[in-house]
Amino acid sequence: FVMHRADAPSQTVTTSASELTQMYRDMYLMRRLEIASDVLYKSKFIRGFCHLYDGQEAICVGMEAALTYDDCIITSYRDHCTFLGRGGSMEEVFAELLGRKTGCAKGKGGSMHMYLKKNNFYGGNGIVGAQSPLGAGLAFAQKYKGMPNCTLTLYGDGAANQGQLAEAMNMAALWDLPVVFVCENNHYGMGTSEDRSSKSALYYTRGDYVPGMKADGMDALAVKQAVAYAKEHCVSGKGPFVLELDTYRYHGHSMSDPGSTYRTRDEVSGVRQERDPVDRIRKLLLEHDIAKDTELKAWEKDIRKQIDKAVDFAKASALPEAGALYEDVLVDAGDITARTVSNDYTPLR
Amino acid sequence: RGAASAAAQAAAEQGTARTNLVGAINSALDITLERDPTACIFGEDVAFGGVFRCTAGLGEKHGAHRVFNTPLCEQGIAGFGVGLAAQGHTAIAEIQFADYIFPAFDQLVNEAAKYRYRSGGAFDVGGLTVRAPCGAVGHGGHYHSQSPEAYFAHTPGLVVVMPRGPREAKGLLLSSIRSRDPTIVLEPKALYRTAVEEVPEGDFEIPLGVADVVREGSDITLVGWGAQVHVLSAAAEKAEAELGVDCEVIDLRTLLPWDRATVEASAQKTGRLIVSHEAPVTAGLGAEIVAHVADRCFLRMESPPLRVCGYDTPFPLVHECYYVPDELRVIEAIKKSIQF
């Protein structure tokens, strides 16, 4: 842990066999889900934009281990696994990716816009950095209501240079809002490396007067410890916190980016070999005799089968009806009249 | 039509080459960097050529100090451009997708548009040109498909341009860059590679504020811009073949200030008007055109002016095919107008 204006938490993390097991299964599921999404995109079942998270799974799983569903999370468009971490189902993910009405946003959001209201997952945002002030707002409501909870607002190294992030940090610090600004630093904003975009790539210090820390985002247990520490800071009334998680994405920025024009294949495979977050937990399970290799393989096979079934479910689901086009524009759908050709304001329904 | 065809003729006398929209834009930028030592191009990812390759090779040819990347900060990009232009430089900013232009909205509307006015002419940012890819692309969804021209057309002090193809893009972009007013050039991204035509290889300009009558006709006037001009042209072909209706198709080219004279003259000729744009119908630019024509040509009109536009919803994802004002909806409008 690297600290800024704060003391480091202990590097000793308490966990259990069941927690580690669950972490592994969740991360493996996330990994397979993103791989399946890649295949679906290439076979044109998913259209539009698709930003994959494989490599970064430890963040979603680690942070959930330190949070409850009364804490709020808001993130950017690389949100499939964040949704799963919040308790969403893989069926809803695939259905949403395929634009079907059984998706978590009724098929109207797609890859970049996944939401889960009952577990306080606020999405799923397309415009880079726009979610930062929203996170401050969510945290304000929590404080206003006296809740012992915090908000995690996630953004990337690219978004760290958006003006609105500085605005949100100032507001949060001024009003002691319980918000953790989590920078998922995967070192590349699309094709631009952090040192080409940022005068200071020490994102955990960018809150200046806001204390912060940096942790290894490829280690789910380090993430858990860091998030627990940050949450405690916020909920005890000390105001916001900046948490930079050092992570890596194996895929390019999106499915239209091969991810190899701005970084070497050796760099990618190096991370895969030395820092893969899923393998790390797998090794822990084996080393501590929590599971045997045969058991792990059986779980993995089972998860892959579940993924296949979920994909089939999505493929078999219906598209949203035509009328869904003009639902949810305003609260009262009946009032929306979409004029097509004439000016007589005929409601389309 | 005179000025436009004279320019086109002059261009035709130069050599031409088959070029797509990206190539045409690249050529205009290349010529600018060559001829104008103060010109710089900046934006997200422009140094390596840009996500659509419009700036490919320019940094290598003219210098990395003149074609450079900015961080991910649209408000910063626009504001920086305003400052650079206020110094008298030619500042060409690229906003990666028009959908991302909104953080820059304040800088464009409150700073760029008003600088000349509020300083009594002491300063201006005429050297500022902002380029952004716009429009439906088949799968863009909410944030890669928008056409924000109406927000900017509502701002006195700005010039707003949208080309329909490679030749227009090159000539309009050169005019926009050289214009002494801050100009926003919206480029229909769906046409970047698919639109290919003979484009003059040299330096030429297409005048701003002048619309282009793309197809002459006598029964009804169809007005559009950008990619929608091709939808209108296709509808015009069908209308002639199937309905025996002879359509006049006008490409506005410059959306602010728009060529009232050409549109009025056409409405006086045909007595019928349809305006069509991808952006939502309510308070879209079509409303401005229809209001003006109703005012100026009321007694001549044979039927109410109509608008065929996107619906009043955010640009949808899976419902895009229902949302976009396609050829079929335009033909329905033509029928409705003719049968009034």
Side-chain angles (χ1 to χ4, degrees):
Chain A
F1 301 123
V2 185
M3 306 307 294
H4 172 71
R5 297 190 197 265
D7 297 321
S10 163
Q11 291 203 273
T12 306
V13 185
T14 309
T15 183
S16 65
S18 62
E19 178 173 70
L20 275 181
T21 302
Q22 193 56 49
M23 279 185 163
Y24 179 70
R25 294 176 69 106
D26 289 342
M27 285 168 66
Y28 188 78
L29 174 64
M30 289 175 180
R31 175 64 57 90
R32 297 308 309 181
L33 181 127
E34 294 298 66
I35 289 170
S37 302
D38 174 295
V39 172
L40 285 169
Y41 191 91
K42 286 174 175 151
S43 47
K44 299 199 198 271
F45 281 96
I46 300 174
R47 303 206 61 223
F49 296 86
C50 189
H51 309 83
L52 300 178
Y53 198 77
D54 49 314
Q56 302 186 208
E57 300 89 347
I59 294 180
C60 288
V61 166
M63 73 184 174
E64 294 295 348
L67 300 173
T68 72
Y69 289 146
D70 286 331
D71 298 307
C72 299
I73 292 185
I74 188 167
T75 187
S76 70
Y77 43 79
R78 202 177 299 280
D79 61 349
H80 309 165
C81 300
T82 327
F83 174 81
L84 283 180
R86 282 270 93 180
S89 72
M90 60 181 127
E91 287 80 9
E92 285 174 292
V93 173
F94 286 124
E96 189 59 40
L97 289 173
L98 271 62
R100 308 298 165 102
K101 65 185 189 185
T102 45
C104 51
K106 304 182 198 161
K108 291 173 71 171
S111 167
M112 293 197 279
H113 307 289
M114 302 205 168
Y115 301 85
L116 191 58
K117 184 172 169 134
K118 73 171 160 67
N119 290 348
N120 286 305
F121 177 48
Y122 287 81
N125 294 280
I127 298 297
V128 170
Q131 70 275 16
S132 323
L134 269 71
L138 296 173
F140 183 92
Q142 288 173 316
K143 179 173 175 174
Y144 192 93
K145 291 187 261 199
M147 298 169 67
N149 297 104
C150 67
T151 294
L152 265 62
T153 182
L154 283 69
Y155 59 97
D157 43 290
N161 298 315
Q162 276 279 323
Q164 50 195 324
L165 180 60
E167 292 181 20
M169 285 184 178
N170 180 53
M171 289 159 76
L174 201 54
W175 301 330
D176 287 323
L177 302 182
V179 50
V180 185
F181 293 98
V182 181
C183 180
E184 292 185 280
N185 183 5
N186 58 23
H187 308 285
Y188 296 93
M190 265 192 10
T192 303
S193 65
E194 57 190 332
D195 33 81
R196 292 199 301 122
S197 75
S198 310
K199 178 66 177 171
S200 164
L202 304 175
Y203 298 108
Y204 65 102
T205 68
R206 292 271 284 264
D208 185 14
Y209 37 78
V210 179
M213 73 190 277
K214 176 169 155 167
D216 181 359
M218 305 301 261
D219 178 351
L221 294 173
V223 173
K224 173 188 170 184
Q225 187 80 327
V227 171
Y229 179 81
K231 174 172 175 176
E232 166 56 31
H233 174 98
C234 292
V235 167
S236 64
K238 298 202 192 89
F241 197 84
V242 179
L243 174 57
E244 179 186 340
L245 297 172
D246 184 347
T247 184
Y248 201 84
R249 54 163 164 80
Y250 296 140
H251 271 86
H253 164 74
S254 70
M255 286 304 296
S256 21
D257 171 22
S260 53
T261 55
Y262 47 86
R263 51 185 195 175
T264 63
R265 290 188 206 277
D266 284 346
E267 179 186 295
V268 184
S269 53
V271 176
R272 229 189 247 281
Q273 269 169 343
E274 281 152 48
R275 299 179 65 205
D276 186 273
V278 186
D279 278 347
R280 189 190 211 122
I281 303 288
R282 196 180 201 278
K283 283 195 187 104
L284 275 179
L285 293 175
L286 290 171
E287 273 163 25
H288 294 267
D289 241 343
I290 298 172
K292 306 245 180 300
D293 192 56
T294 47
E295 280 178 273
L296 293 174
K297 287 209 162 78
W299 293 345
E300 288 157 12
K301 186 167 172 192
D302 179 53
I303 286 170
R304 289 200 300 275
K305 274 227 287 275
Q306 288 177 46
I307 294 262
D308 288 341
K309 267 183 70 186
V311 170
D312 288 339
F313 163 79
K315 284 180 176 173
S317 293
L319 285 167
E321 270 95 44
L325 168 62
Y326 32 85
E327 276 167 17
D328 300 318
V329 177
L330 294 176
V331 62
D332 187 349
D335 270 79
I336 288 291
T337 55
R339 290 167 291 172
T340 55
V341 165
S342 65
N343 283 334
D344 55 15
Y345 296 85
T346 313
L348 278 178
R349 312 205 291 163
Chain B
R1 192 116 168 83
S5 60
Q9 220 163 350
E13 275 141 34
Q14 304 173 18
T16 66
R18 265 183 89 65
T19 317
N20 65 16
L21 184 57
V22 169
I25 291 163
N26 188 270
S27 175
L29 296 173
D30 186 20
I31 288 169
T32 300
L33 289 167
E34 185 74 51
R35 303 209 163 159
D36 179 347
T38 75
C40 290
I41 301 173
F42 49 92
E44 293 157 21
D45 301 305
V46 299
F48 89 100
V51 290
F52 292 107
R53 320 297 300 137
C54 290
T55 52
L58 298 178
E60 290 90 324
K61 187 172 172 189
H62 299 284
H65 63 294
R66 298 179 70 195
V67 182
F68 54 91
N69 290 337
T70 59
L72 214 168
C73 50
E74 286 73 18
Q75 181 171 29
I77 290 168
F80 169 88
V82 170
L84 189 54
Q87 282 274 0
H89 274 244
T90 296
I92 303 167
E94 178 179 299
I95 299 292
Q96 197 158 83
F97 281 85
D99 313 65
Y100 308 164
I101 206 167
F102 301 108
F105 197 71
D106 176 70
Q107 283 292 339
L108 295 171
V109 165
N110 275 334
E111 303 304 321
K114 298 175 170 73
Y115 219 129
R116 187 191 290 280
Y117 191 87
R118 71 185 189 219
S119 68
F123 288 102
D124 70 80
V125 291
L128 177 66
T129 304
V130 179
R131 293 179 40 248
C134 69
V137 73
H139 52 263
H142 315 91
Y143 300 113
H144 297 83
S145 313
Q146 293 177 62
S147 299
E149 70 271 8
Y151 298 109
F152 297 102
H154 190 56
T155 306
L158 292 179
V159 173
V160 183
V161 168
M162 191 186 298
R164 69 170 183 273
R167 170 197 248 115
E168 301 290 310
K170 182 173 174 177
L172 288 169
L173 184 53
L174 282 165
S175 295
S176 299
I177 290 169
R178 292 162 180 170
S179 149
R180 292 292 86 211
D181 296 307
T183 308
I184 298 175
V185 180
L186 298 171
E187 300 164 357
K189 67 175 91 67
L191 301 180
Y192 269 149
R193 280 176 216 301
T194 56
V196 185
E197 62 184 338
E198 290 292 328
V199 179
E201 286 172 305
D203 190 342
F204 74 104
E205 293 179 31
I206 291 176
L208 300 181
V210 178
D212 190 17
V213 180
V214 167
R215 184 189 202 280
E216 286 185 20
S218 50
D219 295 335
I220 182 168
T221 302
L222 311 179
V223 176
W225 45 88
Q228 195 65 10
V229 175
H230 306 295
V231 175
L232 294 178
S233 296
E237 294 297 309
K238 264 219 172 74
E240 180 168 50
E242 292 173 17
L243 309 170
V245 173
D246 187 27
C247 303
E248 178 145 295
V249 178
I250 298 178
D251 174 9
L252 268 197
R253 303 200 293 193
T254 302
L255 308 183
L256 180 75
W258 63 280
D259 185 352
R260 295 171 179 152
T262 299
V263 175
E264 273 178 54
S266 179
Q268 289 289 353
K269 178 166 75 161
T270 66
R272 298 179 202 275
L273 173 69
I274 292 172
V275 186
S276 186
H277 55 69
E278 275 176 27
V281 60
T282 294
L285 190 54
E288 155 68 17
I289 295 162
V290 162
H292 182 81
V293 169
D295 176 10
R296 303 279 293 177
C297 312
F298 185 75
L299 291 176
R300 170 64 186 95
M301 300 311 281
E302 300 291 333
S303 58
L306 300 174
R307 293 173 290 162
V308 182
C309 304
Y311 295 129
D312 291 330
T313 73
F315 198 100
L317 192 55
V318 292
H319 290 99
E320 176 168 336
C321 55
Y322 299 130
Y323 177 91
V324 290
D326 61 18
E327 191 182 308
L328 298 173
R329 280 172 56 193
V330 174
I331 288 170
E332 281 307 299
I334 292 172
K335 283 185 194 167
K336 192 177 171 89
S337 182
I338 297 287
Q339 289 162 11
F340 180 79

